[in-house]
Amino acid sequence: TKLILLDSLLQETKMVFLSRLTFARMSKHTNPFFGKESLPADRFWKRRAVFMQTAHFFGRLRNCYKLAFRYNLRALTYVSEGRKYRKKDTRDLWDMRIEGACQELNYNAWHMRDALTRSGVYLDRKVLANLAVTEPRTFRAVTAIAAKKSMDCTEDGGLGLRPCGPRIDVDQKI
């Protein structure tokens, strides 16, 4: 009776291969009569991906799958946790560079981005820091624009601060 049930189940279900790829990923040679069972493709590629990611490790951490998987998981955890710290450190570095360049020009960096936004100059921290380091004359001109807007009265859209910044005359009304 068991054979009849299995035979009827096999006749009812039809196996459909939608693509050659799914057909190729089936486990083959599973009968011991035909020879040694080969690893399924999914298992092989999963292990290969782990070994590729752990290729720079030393010793058994790159060769033994169990150890490689464990240490790779730990390394990926550290990388994902460290991502937010790296972003914060980079942002702090940009702010320090901007503050240092603004101190040389007698301007408070705290008001710079607000004044530039009110002037219609939309530069972020990264661009301002790169200008401060690589192009000091351009940064001085940008600081003069921000200082002009900072010294404008609040009715004109400025910040209403005391005179500050580099002594450059900005002729246009910004």
Side-chain angles (χ1 to χ4, degrees), residues 16-153:
V16 178
F17 298 111
L18 299 177
S19 68
R20 291 183 187 175
L21 185 63
T22 54
F23 178 69
R25 296 183 81 156
M26 284 182 46
S27 60
K28 301 175 192 171
H29 308 298
T30 55
N31 191 337
F33 177 76
F34 292 112
K36 186 178 175 187
E37 177 184 353
S38 62
L39 293 175
D42 288 339
R43 185 173 174 200
F44 171 78
W45 289 111
K46 182 180 176 186
R47 286 174 177 247
R48 181 177 162 88
V50 171
F51 287 138
M52 295 277 290
Q53 290 175 349
T54 60
H56 64 283
F57 291 165
F58 181 77
R60 290 177 59 203
L61 299 181
R62 67 184 279 177
N63 298 328
C64 297
Y65 177 73
K66 237 180 187 178
L67 294 174
F69 181 79
R70 189 181 322 152
Y71 277 84
N72 186 40
L73 189 65
R74 179 182 291 177
L76 292 175
T77 304
Y78 285 147
V79 166
S80 61
E81 286 176 358
R83 200 172 291 134
K84 62 183 172 186
Y85 298 121
R86 188 170 57 246
K87 286 180 184 176
K88 185 181 181 306
D89 288 344
T90 306
R91 192 171 55 240
D92 290 343
L93 175 67
W94 291 337
D95 286 340
M96 281 191 282
R97 286 179 176 174
I98 294 170
E99 287 174 14
C102 284
Q103 282 179 359
E104 288 181 2
L105 299 172
N106 190 25
Y107 186 68
N108 189 356
W110 182 261
H111 304 292
M112 182 169 209
R113 292 181 62 213
D114 186 24
L116 285 176
T117 304
R118 290 176 185 228
S119 304
V121 179
Y122 300 104
L123 298 175
D124 59 353
R125 286 183 173 109
K126 181 181 178 182
V127 174
L128 287 172
N130 285 339
L131 286 177
V133 172
T134 59
E135 300 181 22
R137 294 174 116 186
T138 308
F139 185 77
R140 186 170 185 227
V142 170
T143 306
I145 293 171
K148 171 80 169 81
K149 197 62 167 181
S150 297
M151 291 184 287
D152 285 350
C153 61

